[in-house]
Amino acid sequence: MREIPKAGDGERTLDLRNEVVLMTEDKDFAIERKACLLSSLLRDMLMDTEVPEGEDVTEETQIPLLNVDSSALPRIGEYLERHVGREVQILTRPLHAPLPDVLDEWEKDFVYFKLLPREQPEENWDLLYKVTLAADFLGIEPLRDLCCATIANMINKKKPEEIKKIFGVTEDITPAHIEEVVAKYPFLTAPAAN
């Protein structure tokens, strides 16, 4: 995945048959079409844009992603491109070992060095949160589950006060808050897929 100029802001060089433009509010990115297939949302959107082999592709395939933060998209693209033609590691629930012990080296590096800052990782989880939300929106379940497992692993065995500080929670959590979160993010209570 690479950042490209916004439409009208400069020349865009694309392989029209093999690349797709993902557009956020403030940035555009080019990504391999086949990398998008791991995302259920992107895959569904691309089904309508297939051009038969042998026919010329004359227009960009553009997918607006206004619900995705542009700072998360390069990491999403890196994850998608990494898994083109490779098997995706599916995490079992519940984990039967500490998360770093069950991840392969690439995913361990991706989570602990690319999504989390090297200094004070527990105080700056912004990118991890944004990637988690984007993965959920885009329907990239293995990435969403990896991010959620990372968060769960990092708050495991912490006191409620420490967890509230990590997430910036200033009020006590009420049953109404819990219902609201579960309604907004139903995957939090979804049964494990095996």
Side-chain angles (χ1 to χ4, degrees), residues 4-22:
I4 59 174
K6 294 282 290 173
D9 287 351
E11 187 175 332
R12 290 160 50 128
T13 305
L14 293 170
D15 176 349
L16 296 177
R17 179 167 294 283
N18 297 312
E19 288 185 308
V20 174
V21 177
L22 303 180

Side-chain angles (χ1 to χ4, degrees), residues 70-91:
S70 63
S71 66
L73 210 47
R75 294 299 177 217
I76 296 280
E78 182 178 356
Y79 183 88
L80 293 175
E81 288 175 343
R82 162 69 181 176
H83 291 91
V84 170
R86 291 192 170 118
E87 192 164 323
V88 177
Q89 183 175 5
I90 305 295
L91 298 175

Side-chain angles (χ1 to χ4, degrees), residues 118-155:
R118 292 174 195 247
E119 296 178 19
Q120 300 176 320
E122 293 182 7
E123 293 179 21
N124 187 1
W125 293 10
D126 252 16
L127 184 58
L128 177 60
Y129 294 146
K130 290 174 183 176
V131 169
T132 305
L133 293 174
D136 182 51
F137 175 74
L138 294 168
I140 309 169
E141 289 184 30
L143 178 56
R144 182 204 63 208
D145 291 350
L146 174 62
C147 292
C148 288
T150 300
I151 294 167
N153 187 63
M154 293 181 78
I155 64 173

Side-chain angles (χ1 to χ4, degrees), residues 33-70:
R33 180 179 289 270
K34 58 187 168 187
C36 296
L37 301 180
L38 187 58
S39 160
S40 61
L41 177 74
L42 298 177
R43 183 178 55 246
D44 290 348
M45 294 177 89
L46 289 174
M47 286 177 66
D48 297 331
T49 65
E50 288 295 319
V51 176
E53 196 64 42
E55 287 188 27
D56 288 339
V57 180
T58 58
E59 295 181 2
E60 294 178 358
T61 301
Q62 299 178 344
I63 299 177
L65 298 174
L66 303 181
N67 292 345
V68 176
D69 189 286
S70 63

